Each structure stands twice: as C-alpha cells, then as structure tokens.
Amino acid sequence: MARERLLCMESIPAYVEACSLFLALVPSVVHEDSGEPCNLAGWLSRGWCRTELWCKMLSPGAEPPIAVFNHDHAECLESNLDLLPRDGEYSMDLDCAECSLSIRLALDTKLAFMRKELKDDRPIDMDHFRYLVSRYCELSDLPEKERPLSDFLADFAFESVEALRQPSGFGAVACAVLSGDQQILAEVVEAHGAPLDTPIRCPHFGISEMRPIHLASSRKGGEALLTKLLQLRANPDAAIGDYAAPLASCRSPAAVEVLVQHRADVNGQSGNGLSPLVAMCGRGAPGKALGKLLELKASLEPFKVDSWHRSFGVTPLAYLSMFYSQNPWGAESLQVLLASRADIDEHCTISACRNKQWPAATCSPKKVVRPSALELLGGLGTTPLGVACHFGHEDLVKELLQKEADPDIKNHDGQGALQLARHQGVKDLLQPPDQEAPLRTLRLSRYDYRQADVAVSIMWHFNDELVELHF
C-alpha cells in the first residue's frame, strides 16, 4: 500500500500537466460537522490543492485553472506565489512531505528540460528559468544553501562575472534574494557591481514591473535579506510605473516595520494611484501585515486616481471586496479594516468631465482601451457591498449584510446592491426568490456592462460593437 501511495503522489504532476481543463468546484457551503464555511479560500488553504496548483503553473503552455462557484459564476485563478504547499493545511503531517516531493519532481523535470535547451544553445526564457532555480529549495521544502560565486554563476547560468551587472530582468540580486542567500547578495553587489533596482518581469508567474526589493518584502522570513538590501541602498519606495511600492508586497508585520524604519512612505502612490494599503487589500496580504501598516498611519481615505479626464476615488475596503474570492486572508483583512474604522458604506467615486468619452471613442470600434481595476471601481461608484454583489462574492455579501451594510445605497446611476448583482446566488441573498429578477446591465458612462456568455469574461458595449475583455 505504501508503494502504491507513493506512486500516486509521483503521478500528480503528470496528471495535472496532461489535463486540458483544470476546474476547482468551490461553491459556498457550510461544513456539516464543524459549521465552518467551505469556499475558495478554504480550498486554497489546503496543502494538496496548493500542490496541484503549483504543478499546473510548472506545466508547459498551461491554461489557468478555473474556480467554479455555481452554475452562473466562474473565475480564472490568478497565480498566487505566496501559497506554498509546505505552509498548507494537512490532515496528516506525512502528507506535507509527500506534496513537497511531488513539487520537487515537477521542478526537476521542468529544469532538466530547460538546462538541456541551454546546453544545446536553444533559446529559453531566462527569467523563468532563474525564478524556478531561485525558489527550488523553498518550493521543495529543502534547506536553503549558500553558494560560492562559482556555483552561483553555474546554477543561474550567468556566463561570466560581468554578466552579473545586467541592467534589467532576473539578474544577480533577484536570484540572491529569492534564493535566500544573504552572503552572495552582498558579494555580487559590493564586489561585482550588480545593480540593486533592476526591473523584473516574469509573466508566467504573474510578476510584472517589480524590483528585487519587492521579492524581499514578500518573502516569508525575508526580513534579514530586506534589511541587507536597504543597507546596500536599495530604494524603499521603488514603485515602477503602475506597480505599487515594496510596502504593498509585505506579508509580515516585521517586513512592514523594516521598510518604514528605512523611510518608506506608508501613503505613497504608484503611477496608477495604488497606495500600499489599497494594493495590499487587492493582492491578499495577511491581516497582521495590514494591521501593522494601519498602526503606522496608513490612510483609509479614498485614493484619487486621475485617468483620461476623470478622477476616481477608491477605498481600501472596496478594493478588498473586488478581489475577495481569491484572497486566502480576505475574512481576516476585512475584520482588520473594520476594526480600524473603515466606513462600511463609503462609495467609490467618479467625478470631473463625466460626459467625456473614453479613449475608445476616437479609435476604431474594435479597439477598446481596457480599464484598470481602479477605473472600474470608480466607474461602478458603489459601496463595498455593491462591489461584492457585482463580482459575486457570496461569503463577503453575507458578512457585510451581517455587519449592517446598507443594500439600498444607490450609485451615481441610481442602482443599489440588488441591481448590481450579476449572479443568482447573490440575488437570492438580497431578495426572496419569487421576486422579479433585477436588471443584468449596468451603464458606466457610455458603456453597457453585461454578463457575458462565457462566465470568466466581461462584455463592454460601445457604438454597437461588443468587445470581450478577460479579467
């Protein structure tokens, strides 16, 4: 039996890679014995489920997994790099080691293929390769190792010491930080001139427009590395374009404290208006990290975003509500925000030149500029409850209603929570089933916001042309 069980474990990466569609069935129900809610957040907390997700991310050319909540609501699952199998919940302690073995097998297969391509002088995505090498020990639940410079160059495929000074991409500092090697970090910077603030992109793992200090901020137990980076004069407010500052990446109160001690701005905004607190709410930071940021005077006031002749005001609580279903710490973060006196009924806002057309008005009908999440929230112009209803987060709707959020507050188009709801499960929470169903269309300044035929799509209507956008 033990041998058969081990073979089953070892086959998980192959089964996940072979599947053409990865579905997680995660309706919001209550556990019969414990009385606890069972939902996507609970599914994401399970070590076995995290193992399958990572095996999917490690498989080539994979479509993203899809979470199915009910008959009319499904979402593509974003890559959440914080959900390590070794930190998941298990019924038996032995299962953790077996899941780590499955991840190690998947990693070994992936890296062996990429190294063979390198050896045969075939091009590979070097940022992707170095990311996987950097996290090998962490994902496999193995002790981290310190490398002499020669091993560092070989393991990460740097052709020479001079290559450590590459100005962008997954360079020497990023590799040292993500692999947890503080000694080599100091050496490549001080002795070999590796730049501290190189911009990093790794789209396969959802990494866009960040710097090594963001990696250090998000790394579990990475406070010593973060401190070393700052001592080496990394920028504590190193936002790039629309990507928020390093504070937004923090996953622990200690990391928040380290950055603030080095003069990081708790209310600094990135190019698209994301403050660290708002960004934390959207990306799923643990509640304790949020609480530390609030303790250090992060503002709960709406942050203003100016875009295309418009001004949008977005609250942290609304941003949390938008991304709630895929946030493993969503319930915890909600309690932290409410305990800090976040206004449960505060609107997102839109103002200034509302009659102006979106950029699409001057383009061809089939070319539409995709609105950002902040623009979408500002355009909805509703409360956190309205946001939760619109995006179909049943558990959050229940919680906000229990906290006496007002479902009758109207947005700037005169629509309350019921009119904003697009999924039947949410509608049933707001009205008896025999009442007339609400409208399915929301007008957002010359657009019709429609429920799409494909559950993971959103349709925007402009000049009689339908354009499909994926969120």
Side-chain angles (χ1 to χ4, degrees):
M1 286 296 292
R3 175 60 180 166
E4 291 179 0
R5 178 180 172 84
L6 181 60
L7 289 173
C8 289
M9 299 299 97
E10 293 178 353
S11 70
I12 288 177
Y15 276 113
V16 171
E17 182 176 332
C19 73
S20 57
L21 190 62
F22 186 119
L23 293 178
L25 303 180
V26 286
S28 180
V29 295
V30 176
H31 195 282
E32 184 176 14
D33 297 327
S34 68
E36 295 295 322
C38 297
N39 49 29
L40 177 59
W43 188 83
L44 290 172
S45 72
R46 300 292 297 171
W48 284 106
C49 300
R50 293 183 178 192
T51 299
E52 292 167 350
L53 282 174
W54 269 101
C55 287
K56 191 63 174 173
M57 282 193 281
L58 292 169
S59 61
E63 292 297 323
I66 297 172
V68 179
F69 298 90
N70 51 45
H71 71 283
D72 65 350
H73 183 194
E75 295 176 7
C76 288
L77 285 175
E78 299 290 335
S79 300
N80 192 327
L81 307 180
D82 297 327
L83 301 180
L84 297 178
R86 71 180 190 186
D87 297 329
E89 298 175 1
Y90 295 94
S91 299
M92 299 173 57
D93 292 340
L94 181 63
D95 288 353
C96 180
E98 293 177 339
C99 283
S100 296
L101 176 60
S102 294
I103 295 292
R104 197 182 316 160
L105 290 169
L107 274 168
D108 287 341
T109 301
K110 180 84 169 181
L111 289 172
F113 172 79
M114 298 180 89
R115 288 191 176 104
K116 185 178 186 304
E117 295 292 284
L118 276 174
K119 184 178 179 181
D120 294 340
D121 292 326
R122 296 192 181 99
I124 66 168
D125 184 337
M126 191 59 70
D127 290 345
H128 189 168
F129 171 76
R130 288 176 179 163
Y131 177 87
L132 294 179
V133 175
S134 297
R135 296 199 78 182
Y136 183 89
C137 292
E138 185 182 24
L139 288 169
S140 303
D141 199 17
L142 296 173
E144 292 172 349
K145 58 181 181 180
E146 293 183 349
R147 296 174 172 89
L149 183 62
S150 58
D151 288 355
F152 183 82
L153 294 172
D155 287 353
F156 292 101
F158 288 104
E159 295 180 354
S160 64
V161 171
E162 288 72 24
L164 299 174
R165 295 193 286 272
Q166 70 179 57
S168 63
F170 219 88
V173 173
C175 293
V177 166
L178 205 53
S179 62
D181 195 336
Q182 188 174 337
Q183 179 177 328
I184 201 69
L185 170 63
E187 184 176 351
V188 297
V189 173
E190 294 176 328
H192 302 290
L196 285 165
D197 294 320
T198 52
I200 300 168
R201 289 179 55 82
C202 195
H204 186 85
F205 294 103
I207 297 175
S208 174
E209 302 286 346
M210 65 167 59
R211 299 185 189 269
I213 194 169
H214 292 88
L215 301 176
S217 301
S218 63
R219 198 174 190 279
K220 184 176 181 180
E223 291 81 18
L225 280 163
L226 181 58
T227 300
K228 187 63 181 178
L229 267 177
L230 291 163
Q231 290 171 347
L232 291 168
R233 300 187 181 275
N235 182 1
D237 289 317
I240 305 179
D242 289 347
Y243 203 89
L247 273 171
S249 300
C250 291
R251 294 296 178 263
S252 71
V256 173
E257 284 190 301
V258 168
L259 281 165
V260 174
Q261 286 168 2
H262 287 80
R263 304 186 179 224
D265 183 355
V266 295
N267 290 310
Q269 289 181 258
S270 61
N272 67 353
L274 280 174
S275 70
L277 182 63
V278 171
M280 268 191 175
C281 290
R283 291 184 192 149
K288 290 181 180 178
L290 276 180
K292 177 56 68 173
L293 198 59
L294 288 162
E295 179 186 319
L296 296 170
K297 309 301 181 187
S299 175
L300 284 164
E301 295 299 315
F303 276 80
K304 298 296 182 183
V305 185
D306 294 320
S307 175
W308 300 104
H309 308 292
R310 295 165 191 236
S311 179
F312 303 92
V314 176
T315 65
L317 195 51
Y319 210 58
L320 175 72
S321 300
M322 185 176 189
F323 298 102
Y324 188 83
S325 66
Q326 297 192 39
N327 185 345
W329 298 281
E332 176 186 335
S333 297
L334 175 66
Q335 299 308 320
V336 169
L337 289 173
L338 294 178
S340 299
R341 301 188 179 181
D343 185 347
I344 200 170
D345 288 325
E346 187 166 15
H347 280 77
C348 295
T349 61
I350 180 173
S351 62
C353 305
R354 279 192 59 204
N355 61 334
K356 296 280 187 181
Q357 294 181 339
W358 287 82
T362 59
C363 302
S364 67
K366 293 187 181 294
K367 186 177 181 181
V368 173
V369 176
R370 172 178 171 174
S372 69
L374 294 173
E375 290 169 337
L376 184 54
L377 283 177
L380 281 169
T382 188
T383 63
L385 177 60
V387 174
C389 289
H390 184 70
F391 288 99
H393 306 322
E394 291 184 37
D395 295 312
L396 180 57
V397 171
K398 292 176 187 176
E399 185 68 20
L400 291 172
L401 289 172
Q402 290 175 359
K403 300 289 185 184
E404 300 184 349
D406 188 347
D408 296 322
I409 295 176
K410 309 295 184 185
N411 69 356
H412 51 66
D413 285 323
Q415 294 174 309
L418 183 57
Q419 286 71 42
L420 294 174
R422 298 179 299 135
H423 306 293
Q424 193 59 49
V426 172
K427 296 171 190 175
D428 292 343
L429 294 173
L430 297 168
Q431 66 172 4
D434 58 347
Q435 285 193 15
E436 183 179 352
L439 296 174
R440 287 176 176 262
T441 300
L442 167 65
R443 289 196 174 277
L444 290 181
S445 306
R446 295 183 60 86
Y447 283 81
D448 288 336
Y449 189 58
R450 299 175 181 271
Q451 179 177 344
D453 294 332
V454 181
V456 297
S457 303
I458 293 176
M459 307 294 286
W460 288 81
H461 181 258
F462 184 79
N463 289 344
D464 298 324
E465 292 284 344
L466 283 177
V467 180
E468 186 175 72
L469 300 176
H470 295 273
F471 284 81

